[in-house]
């Protein structure tokens, strides 16, 4: 396997520079790869695939033909970020989440940011994620979105941009941890030669963060992970996190709310009080008394218990108000408004279809832009202009005109690439990066994050539900 | 512990034990038939009968083996039992040691190929033995790496109850085969094969020290309290598990009632139809233990058929 044969492209590559040379932090890796024969690499890859099957690292794809439990797609060439750059990103992510949480609490209370004219009130009028049931609530540590998965992309200019903030039920952290486990198990020699920062402590920090939300004064809070059940696409992650934290993995039917607004779970020894719920069920399904009356995933009375302060819910209901691609465009303003700081991480330049000028521009440049609905996730319902047909663009234009509030557009990004093992060769494939940020009593960021890779040549869709794979992400100390 | 989790553990225990015992049973039957005179085909419809399919007179060996090992529509077949156990384990990953999940997941992934191999008589013994070995490795992992807490005990209780039930079925088919055997097939070889299938041959020799004949063998498999595959052993262990659980009165009573029947075994074997009737009664009692555990600890009672339990055995007996 020769890194020298790696094709040059117009894109920024995370491991190889514009002269075809490995970047400083990728030298050891490339030397190692150069020393491996194609047969050896193939054997490693087969070992990894077998390990993934045995370990049952899977995700579910919903399809017309029924739900399929698929093995987690993993590429063994890691993505490398220099530690000095990572420190900046870490600070930028914390800054961003701090501002977002202040925004959420403000929006459900005083609405200073609207009164001061920084954020337009009519954005909220159309927001499907604004919950009246949250008005007037003040939460411990001012934290609403306790677990945030922020998607970062590097453009052709080499700058790391924030693509979106996932504040509802972001997933992927278990795969990040499993990817590292696989790499250490199957390519241990790579870890011996250089300083790759460890990331084992995420679940400990998650536990401590959740414990810091406990409404009771107790040393041993009862923490549960609320899952929609074994058929959910992220079920593997739910059970993984519960297992790693020693928390209970519960379904809605295991919980109930008693007449004192206390949440209890049904155990073999009778009901037991629950203090903190890390819920992996969407807002609209958590309480059939308040939202979808026919939801069987939720717990009747849960919102009542939460409002009464008898139970903590992470992420708090209503956090999704800030996880919206329109609200996203205001995050730099939020940072200036609440923190009086300049944003460390830039947003991707965006056009809001609710603004007349922007709308005209978007409709005139549909063939250059990526258009996204305000509150879909998983890469569903978006238009990738340059790759769409004329007819698809015309169809999409009608959707935008019918509901401009619901759409925003961004220039097609020249996403950076990482060498990826395709057959027996290294080929460039586009990647993004999802670090996870926690905010409770304290804040923390994962060391690196989940690197998702679009396995199809030229594709920029990295979602695992749409053929994306993943890589281990190394934060490497330079000059060691 | 969550009631739902306890229930899934209990079923996982049952399903694993079911897969192991079905493998043992098919292996034993194959061995018995190898000893029978050439040209005689017997026992296969007996095998399906004790496994809960009363209307399969005249089935062939290939059909029966397929039904018990591979049939996707038979909730008790080995591949389905293992798949269900694995699905339960998937919902229990936070309570099970990681190695247990990996071992079971692996067994589940290998099962279809193994069981296909077992359709062939010459490869059957090795393939079924592999299922039994993998299950024993799981039992070892559970015993040695999982805290012996309530979760462990629910799993174990499911396994013990299933084992008691399967041992009664294995005795049932042995007595049926031994009774109907024409000339050449000596009763002794049948019982030796059965004891070996249950890994009970050596233990029987050591503890009973009498020649192999139906009464002491059945009595050993029913009422020995030290041999782990004997019904009494299973029930006494269930009893001590229950004693540590909250509110055990109902399931304890049911367990003791079942155990009381076991002492009737020697007497019943002197009667014409005594043993089949007793086995029916024992299975009825085991069913009541199951129901009592359900009502005391789990969410909603699950109908037996849905959960993969063969229904009434001696329907026409």
């Amino acid at each position: 396997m020769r890194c020298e044969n790696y094709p040059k492209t117009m894109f920024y590559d995370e491991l190889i520079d514009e002269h075809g040379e490995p970047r400083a932090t990728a030298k050891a890796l490339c030397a190692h790869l150069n020393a491996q024969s194609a047969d050896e690499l193939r054997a490693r890859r087969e070992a990894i695939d077998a390990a993934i099957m045995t370990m049952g690292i899977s995700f579910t794809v919903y399809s017309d033909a029924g739900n399929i439990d698929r093995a987690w797609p993993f590429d063994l060439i890691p993505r490398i970020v220099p530690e000095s750059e990572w420190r900046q990103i870490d600070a930028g992510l914390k800054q961003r989440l701090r501002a977002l949480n202040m925004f959420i609490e403000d929006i459900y209370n005083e609405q200073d940011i609207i009164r001061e004219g920084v954020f337009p009130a009519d954005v909220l009028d159309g927001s499907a994620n604004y919950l009246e049931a949250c008005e007037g609530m003040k939460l411990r540590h001012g934290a609403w979105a306790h677990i945030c998965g922020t998607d970062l992309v590097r453009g052709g200019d080499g700058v790391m941009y924030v693509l979106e903030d996932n504040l509802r039920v972001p997933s992927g952290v278990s795969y990040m941890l499993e990817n590292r486990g696989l790499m250490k198990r199957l390519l241990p020699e790579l870890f011996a030669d250089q300083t790759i920062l460890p990331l084992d402590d995420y679940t400990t920090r998650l536990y401590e963060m959740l414990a810091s939300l406990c409404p009771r004064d107790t040393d041993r809070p009862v923490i549960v992970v609320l899952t929609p059940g074994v058929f959910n696409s992220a079920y593997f992650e739910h059970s993984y996190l519960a297992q790693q934290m020693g928390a209970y993995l519960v379904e809605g039917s295991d919980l109930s709310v008693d007449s004192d607004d206390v949440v209890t779970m049904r155990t073999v020894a009778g009901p037991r009080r629950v203090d903190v719920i890390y819920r992996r069920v969407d807002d609209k399904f958590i309480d059939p008394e308040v939202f979808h009356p026919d939801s069987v995933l939720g717990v009747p009375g849960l919102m009542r218990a939460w409002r009464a302060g008898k139970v903590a819910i992470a992420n708090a209901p209503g956090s999704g108000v800030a996880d919206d691609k329109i609200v996203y465009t205001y995050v730099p303003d939020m940072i200036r408004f609440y923190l009086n700081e300049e944003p460390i991480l830039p947003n991707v330049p965006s056009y809001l279809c609710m603004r007349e000028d922007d709308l005209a521009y978007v409709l005139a440049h549909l063939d250059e832009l990526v258009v996204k609905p305000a509150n879909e996730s998983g890469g569903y319902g978006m238009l990738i202009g340059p790759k769409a047909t004329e007819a698809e663009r015309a169809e999409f234009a009608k959707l935008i005109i019918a509901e401009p509030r619901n759409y925003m557009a961004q220039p097609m990004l020249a996403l950076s690439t990482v060498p990826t093992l395709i057959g027996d060769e290294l080929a460039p494939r586009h990647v993004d990066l999802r670090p996870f940020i926690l905010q409770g009593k304290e804040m923390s960021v994962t060391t690196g994050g989940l690197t998702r890779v679009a396995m199809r040549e030229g594709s920029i869709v990295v979602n695992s539900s749409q053929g994306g794979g993943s890589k281990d992400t190394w934060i490497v100390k330079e000059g060691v | 512990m969550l009631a739902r989790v306890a229930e899934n553990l209990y079923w996982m225990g049952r399903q694993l034990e079911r897969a192991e015992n079905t493998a043992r049973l098919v292996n034993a039957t194959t061995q018995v038939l190898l000893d029978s005179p050439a040209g005689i085909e017997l026992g296969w419809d007996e095998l399906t009968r004790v496994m809960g399919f009363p209307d399969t007179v005249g089935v062939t060996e290939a059909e029966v083996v397929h039904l018990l090992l591979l049939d996707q529509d038979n909730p008790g077949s080995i591949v389905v039992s293992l798949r269900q156990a694995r699905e339960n384990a998937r919902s229990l990953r936070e309570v099970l040691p990681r190695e247990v999940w990996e071992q079971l997941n692996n067994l589940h992934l290998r099962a279809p190929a193994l069981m296909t191999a077992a359709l062939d008589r010459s490869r059957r013994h090795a393939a079924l033995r592999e299922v039994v070995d993998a299950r024993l490795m799981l039992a070892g992992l559970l015993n040695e790496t999982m805290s012996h807490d309530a979760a462990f005990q629910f799993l174990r209780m499911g396994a013990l109850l299933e084992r008691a039930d399967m041992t009664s079925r294995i005795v049932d088919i042995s007595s049926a085969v031994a009774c109907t055997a024409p000339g050449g097939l000596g009763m002794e070889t049948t019982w030796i094969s059965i004891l070996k299938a249950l890994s009970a041959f050596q233990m029987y020799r050591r503890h009973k020290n009498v020649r192999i004949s139906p009464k002491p063998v059945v009595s050993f498999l029913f009422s020995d309290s030290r041999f782990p595959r004997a019904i009494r052993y299973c029930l006494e262990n269930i009893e001590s598990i229950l004693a540590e659980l909250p509110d055990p009165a109902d399931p304890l009573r049911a367990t003791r009632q079942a155990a009381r029947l076991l002492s009737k075994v020697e007497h019943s074997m002197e009667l014409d139809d005594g043993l089949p009737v007793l086995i029916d009664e024992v299975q009825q009692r085991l069913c009541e233990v199951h129901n009592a555990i359900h009502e005391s600890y789990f969410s909603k009672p699950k109908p037996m058929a849905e959960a993969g339990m063969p229904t009434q055995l001696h329907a026409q007996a």
Side-chain angles (χ1 to χ4, degrees), chain B residues 107-123:
Chain B
L107 177 59
H108 155 76
L109 293 172
R110 285 188 300 146
L114 269 179
M115 292 304 97
T116 305
L119 295 178
D120 176 357
R121 258 196 195 182
S122 67
R123 296 158 74 194

Side-chain angles (χ1 to χ4, degrees), chain A residues 294-352:
Chain A
D294 50 349
S295 167
V296 291
L297 304 178
V299 186
L302 188 55
M303 285 298 284
R304 191 160 31 90
W306 177 70
R307 286 195 60 91
K310 299 287 178 72
V311 71
I313 301 178
N315 289 347
S319 304
V321 71
D323 177 354
D324 166 312
K325 295 188 173 64
I326 310 299
V327 174
Y328 155 86
T329 61
Y330 291 93
V331 176
D333 294 330
M334 288 175 202
I335 293 172
R336 295 184 192 101
F337 180 75
Y338 293 114
L339 305 176
N340 203 17
E341 293 172 11
E342 273 305 303
I344 300 171
L345 293 171
N347 266 11
V348 176
S350 307
Y351 303 95
L352 293 184

Side-chain angles (χ1 to χ4, degrees), chain B residues 5 12 14 27 51 82 87 90 96 98 126-127 140 170 184 196 207 215 219 227 230 237 244 261 274 277 305 311 314:
Chain B
V5 168
M12 180 184 151
R14 288 203 79 137
N27 231 352
M51 293 303 287
L82 290 176
E87 278 309 301
R90 202 161 94 81
L96 294 173
R98 183 174 183 138
I170 290 172
K196 283 186 174 164
H207 296 291
K215 222 189 225 178
S219 149
F227 180 63
N237 276 274
E244 302 290 316
L261 275 178
V277 169
T311 41
H314 291 93

Side-chain angles (χ1 to χ4, degrees), chain A residues 52-58 60 69 178 185 230-232 235-236 239-240 242-244 247-251 253-254 265-269, chain B residues 1-6 86-87 90-98 101-103 105-106 109 150 154 245-247 296-300:
Chain A
I52 288 174
M53 283 300 282
T54 297
M55 289 158 83
I57 308 175
S58 64
T60 309
D69 205 25
E178 291 285 36
R185 186 159 143 185
V230 74
F231 299 109
N232 184 266
Y235 181 79
F236 165 78
S239 63
Y240 177 92
Q243 179 188 45
Q244 295 294 314
Y248 293 90
L249 181 64
V250 304
E251 296 176 16
S253 59
D254 297 324
M265 58 182 177
R266 197 155 28 85
T267 76
V268 290
Chain B
M1 179 172 44
L2 286 174
R4 178 178 50 80
V5 168
R86 187 255 189 192
E87 278 309 301
R90 202 161 94 81
S91 77
L92 295 166
R93 285 180 75 160
E94 83 284 7
V95 289
L96 294 173
R98 183 174 183 138
W101 158 255
E102 291 187 7
Q103 168 76 8
N105 187 42
N106 214 349
L109 293 172
F154 273 103
L245 292 176
D247 299 329
S296 298
Y297 301 115
F298 305 153
S299 32
K300 298 144 226 137

Side-chain angles (χ1 to χ4, degrees), chain B residues 64-269:
Chain B
V64 175
V65 174
H66 183 272
L67 175 74
L68 296 181
L69 305 192
L70 267 170
D71 195 334
Q72 295 291 343
D73 297 326
N74 170 13
S77 74
I78 291 181
V79 287
V80 175
S81 297
L82 290 176
R83 189 176 67 222
Q84 288 175 338
R86 187 255 189 192
E87 278 309 301
N88 272 319
R90 202 161 94 81
S91 77
L92 295 166
R93 285 180 75 160
E94 83 284 7
V95 289
L96 294 173
R98 183 174 183 138
E99 296 81 359
V100 167
W101 158 255
E102 291 187 7
Q103 168 76 8
L104 174 53
N105 187 42
N106 214 349
L107 177 59
H108 155 76
L109 293 172
R110 285 188 300 146
L114 269 179
M115 292 304 97
T116 305
L119 295 178
D120 176 357
R121 258 196 195 182
S122 67
R123 296 158 74 194
R124 186 174 302 154
H125 180 78
L128 292 172
R129 183 60 194 267
E130 215 173 317
V131 169
V132 172
D133 287 353
R135 154 66 177 142
L136 291 178
M137 170 145 173
L138 271 171
L141 278 171
L142 286 165
N143 198 47
E144 305 301 328
T145 65
M146 185 170 176
S147 295
H148 288 202
D149 54 8
F152 178 86
Q153 302 301 0
F154 273 103
L155 203 139
R156 182 162 152 75
M157 203 154 60
L160 286 165
L161 196 57
E162 181 70 30
R163 187 187 298 167
D165 179 75
M166 287 297 282
T167 296
S168 77
R169 288 169 203 265
I170 290 172
V171 169
D172 192 0
I173 187 173
S174 330
S175 63
V177 169
C179 291
T180 57
L185 177 57
M187 290 206 296
E188 194 169 328
T189 49
T190 305
W191 290 105
I192 289 176
S193 294
I194 293 301
L195 284 170
K196 283 186 174 164
L198 288 168
S199 306
F201 182 68
Q202 278 174 281
M203 296 304 131
Y204 172 83
R205 279 284 198 226
R206 236 174 62 198
H207 296 291
K208 285 282 186 177
N209 204 18
V210 288
R211 72 181 291 266
I212 308 243
S213 62
K215 222 189 225 178
V217 171
V218 173
S219 149
F220 179 71
L221 293 177
F222 267 59
S223 346
D224 195 89
S225 52
R226 279 163 304 183
F227 180 63
R229 312 202 74 82
I231 298 175
R232 184 181 301 284
Y233 174 94
C234 295
L235 290 174
E236 285 179 354
N237 276 274
I238 290 173
E239 202 179 317
S240 40
I241 291 171
L242 284 169
E244 302 290 316
L245 292 176
D247 299 329
D250 290 349
L252 262 184
R253 192 177 316 116
T255 310
R256 286 178 185 141
Q257 276 172 356
R260 225 166 284 142
L261 275 178
L262 300 176
S263 48
K264 287 162 65 178
V265 64
E266 299 213 16
H267 171 68
S268 76
M269 288 183 75

Side-chain angles (χ1 to χ4, degrees), chain A residues 353-366:
Chain A
C353 298
M354 59 189 284
R355 292 183 187 144
E356 255 173 59
D357 295 354
D358 284 10
L359 176 61
Y361 179 87
V362 168
L363 292 175
H365 296 84
L366 269 186

